[in-house]
Amino acid sequence: MNKRIIASTLTCSFVLSAGGAMALVPQEVAGTRYEESVSVLSALNIMNGDENGEYRLDDTIIRSEVTKMAVTAMGLQDTADSAKGSNDFDDVSEDHWANGYIHVATSLGLVEGDGDGNFRPNDKITYREAVAIMVRAAGYETAAQSKGGYPSGYITVANDNKMTRGVEGGVNDPISRGNVAILTNNTLETNKMEQTGYGSNIKYEVTDKTLLEDNLETTKFTGQVTAVSGTALADAQPVNDGQVRIDDTVYGAEYPVGTLLGYNVTCYAKKNSADERDIILAMPQSGKNKTAEISSDMFSKLTTKGSNNAVEYFTDENSSKTTTAVISENAQLIYNNKSAEFDTELLNIADKSAYMTLLDTDSDSEYDIVFITEYKNLVLDYVSSNKAVGKDKSIIRFDEEDYKMYSGFNEIEPSELKEWDILSVAESLDGTYKEIYVSRNSFSGKVSAKGNDGYTIDGKLYKVAPGCTGTITVGQTAEFCLDISGKIAAVKAASNVSDGYAYLTNAYKNESGDNVIIKITDKSGKQASLTLADKLKVNGSTVTAENALESLTEDGKAVKQLITYAVNSSDKVTELNIAKDMSESGAADTEHFSLNVKLDKTVYNASTGKLGNVRVTDSTIVFDVSDSNNISITDKSIFENNQTYTGYVYDMSESYSAGVIVLVDTAFKPNANASTAVVKKIATGTNKDDSETDILTALVDGEEKTLYAADDTILVKEDGKKLEAGDLIQYKTDADGNIAGIRVLLDTSDKNEEFTANPENDLTIVYGKVTKRFNDSFNVTVNEAAAVNYSINEDTIVYIADTSKSKHSIKTASFDDVTAYDEDENNRVFVRIYDDSVKEIVIVK
């Protein structure tokens, strides 16, 4: 796409330069008297912005900075780099950034110290001091001395040679950075003075050499850009990538010249290592390029003036006044960056996403070149290595077509694209080339009004791009995606109420019966009691508060559920939505608040980030309502690999990404791979908050551990009794290291009942009798069924839990202690197998 157009619609640190064409000019410089000088010095690496890219042109400048500029202007950058580490002045350390520049400058006599061994590198420099440095750099030291010396002689020489042209300020005052830029740029083009006579006939003469040409090997010239990579004016031969044609000469193009096609430009061409010249800067010539920029919104109509085609357009968006641009009889058309046969139909950009730039290069008041940039938006659904697919199933192929794709002014690859990116595509007429601009500018808001000129959203007017994806209605709250021109190109996750997600815990009339109250926990975790407005919208329909209460209750009790709501300035609920149940089909409904999937012991896969078939993303909101007295709001971090979860999925996207998940059974379940803990004893004590709770002592990972429970309801079995010695459990700790949940693997009071179980995915527990033991495996039968052989490994841990003994009944053991079942000993084994590996064996007696 034509960057002269894009530059005017994107927020960027670089802006349009004079004449409408894009040049890489810093924002603070564009349109100021410093523009040309700073552009030249930046291209030549003589002057650069600070760490934030700012030039601070009105700030004063210091001695070391002007020294660096003079040395670099003389083409001595490499010499200065080699001179780093010199010890010329006490106040310029060896690692000072300007050390090399100061050494070179003092060696050449451009600058000198204060006579006391110091250079004062950070002192401000005056107008006259800066002028003296540049006069010496251009070789006029002798001339300046002959005309009165410092400072008057230097000022006189600088004035005579126009080095101070445009430089402002008092000669005794500190000079600004911007004025030094102008002074330095003038010096670059000043004819140098050189010594031409020696010995008894010392002589100095002004030459036709300049610092720019002679020292920096850079030529300044003017001409018209007749061809750039990808396209050319009608009479010009095309050029390859990385080249530009100025008039009839081809140059390398280090500088992005593509937006200057057809313009009369001032160019700077620097000699490269191959002794050829590359364009390092090109700027539209002042007064040589008349332009008219017309968007489709400003376009009025095609017309004629005399025998010529003409374009009538509005002078600004808020005026009905029009002006007419006359197009030359032999005008050239550049359509979407490619030369095209002139066709007036292409000039009619009404009701399109298009821009027109008219360029007059010969000052005859007729426009010689017409640039049309017309683009169509693709709202990205997904991208693969070879194509981008839109929400409307349209396709851009990357492997079969010549294209360039940009985000801002940076070229990007397809792999960098994301869902809901807006791709504004400008395609050449012959379909051989595309330029694609990517916009990720979106916002959430509520539509308050609709007019002929667009929609008002949160007090601001937005126009709608042709082919906008999704519908827009007054009262709607949604996320709106904008294209490169700032128009709405897509409506994302549209909802007929706000996305103010909350979990409803109660709904009732207050004691007086005057108001309906709902109790909620919102998506930030805040609990609140809210009053319904006398009339409010429920699922888009206006109802009374009593009607709303009926929809929130069943058999007189509130239905606990996820809702969305919005309140007015008085904190009364004016909008409320109950989820549309889509769970039977499992389909997404992007235009309504919807319940899409009911989870029933659904496995979470951490490697894919999926809960069953539903994607859990970084933006998914998770309501954990497993403890109704302590509802918590969290994110995908709550999910653990191979754990099962029960709950509900809401506002799922078409890519099966969950908007919200409500979990009903996540009360700190232990991980499936948690180690077996063999309970030794349970005690009661106080934790660090002085709250009374239970204390577990158990063997875990072959060692004895003591842990506090989060409260006194945790360390209990299904029958409500406390754990006891010999019980086998898995546990999970909270952020404070307290046990927050357990899984009972074996209740020692039931130690005579054999079983096999799979409490979690990849977790198997076996409890039975050993029939035979080998060196590295053993056979176990459960309830007299056929024996199964289990192999052990070097990490398998063995315990003994002998509750028939009063002392030393719980201890670690070795595989040698595993023996075949003995009726007198009543010995069985518990085996925990995770991911097909035996983790622990507990000999139970």
Side-chain angles (χ1 to χ4, degrees), residues 355-653:
Y355 293 88
M356 178 187 298
T357 298
L358 302 173
L359 176 60
D360 175 11
T361 61
D362 54 12
S363 302
D364 64 353
S365 299
E366 293 183 358
Y367 292 97
D368 315 300
I369 307 174
V370 180
F371 299 92
I372 300 289
T373 299
E374 180 182 353
Y375 63 86
K376 296 180 181 179
N377 290 330
L378 178 143
V379 182
L380 186 66
D381 190 19
Y382 65 90
V383 65
S384 66
S385 60
N386 67 335
K387 64 183 177 181
V389 180
K391 296 290 183 182
D392 60 355
K393 309 305 179 187
S394 57
I395 293 175
I396 300 173
R397 297 195 180 276
F398 300 118
D399 56 350
E400 298 177 359
E401 298 168 351
D402 185 16
Y403 73 95
K404 286 188 178 180
M405 185 158 54
Y406 301 90
S407 177
F409 286 109
N410 299 316
E411 192 167 352
I412 64 171
E413 297 297 324
S415 59
E416 300 175 64
L417 295 174
K418 302 175 183 178
E419 184 185 8
W420 291 105
D421 282 348
I422 307 301
L423 278 58
S424 296
V425 184
E427 183 177 11
S428 62
L429 285 177
D430 58 9
T432 60
Y433 181 70
K434 286 183 172 69
E435 282 202 352
I436 306 165
Y437 268 82
V438 180
S439 172
R440 288 173 180 156
N441 186 9
S442 66
F443 69 98
S444 296
K446 183 177 180 178
V447 181
S448 59
K450 175 185 178 181
N452 293 331
D453 49 357
Y455 291 86
T456 301
I457 304 173
D458 291 344
K460 184 176 179 181
L461 180 66
Y462 292 89
K463 295 182 178 181
V464 179
C468 175
T469 299
T471 57
I472 306 176
T473 57
V474 175
Q476 174 188 39
T477 298
E479 183 175 354
F480 301 93
C481 303
L482 307 180
D483 66 11
I484 56 169
S485 63
K487 295 182 179 180
I488 298 174
V491 183
K492 177 181 177 183
S495 171
N496 53 21
V497 296
S498 78
D499 68 345
Y501 296 112
Y503 192 74
L504 178 76
T505 55
N506 206 354
Y508 58 92
K509 282 188 176 182
N510 62 358
E511 291 184 3
S512 63
D514 297 333
N515 293 310
V516 175
I517 309 297
I518 61 172
K519 287 191 173 183
I520 61 163
T521 299
D522 68 19
K523 65 181 181 181
S524 69
K526 179 183 176 182
Q527 296 182 355
S529 295
L530 301 173
T531 301
L532 302 189
D534 292 338
K535 288 189 177 181
L536 68 157
K537 284 188 176 182
V538 176
N539 287 9
S541 300
T542 301
V543 300
T544 64
E546 286 197 7
N547 292 147
L549 179 61
E550 291 177 7
S551 63
L552 296 173
T553 56
E554 190 174 297
D555 298 330
K557 293 184 178 181
V559 178
K560 295 182 179 181
Q561 59 185 305
L562 189 72
I563 61 169
T564 66
Y565 74 99
V567 297
N568 60 18
S569 58
S570 301
D571 276 342
K572 286 192 174 183
V573 177
T574 55
E575 298 181 40
L576 187 149
N577 219 24
I578 300 168
K580 178 182 178 182
D581 192 347
M582 304 288 292
S583 59
E584 186 172 338
S585 66
D589 185 343
T590 59
E591 295 190 0
H592 298 89
F593 171 46
S594 55
L595 167 62
N596 309 104
V597 178
K598 294 180 180 179
L599 307 168
D600 183 17
K601 294 184 179 179
T602 305
V603 176
Y604 179 71
N605 186 322
S607 63
T608 62
K610 286 186 176 182
L611 191 57
N613 291 323
V614 177
R615 298 179 186 277
V616 185
T617 70
D618 291 336
S619 60
T620 300
I621 303 169
V622 180
F623 284 73
D624 181 1
V625 302
S626 55
D627 181 355
S628 59
N629 296 317
N630 186 28
I631 295 172
S632 63
I633 311 301
T634 182
D635 54 26
K636 66 182 295 185
S637 63
I638 193 174
F639 296 104
E640 295 171 351
N641 191 41
N642 289 326
Q643 287 272 33
T644 59
Y645 298 88
T646 298
Y648 306 92
V649 176
Y650 294 86
D651 281 354
M652 184 178 71
S653 71

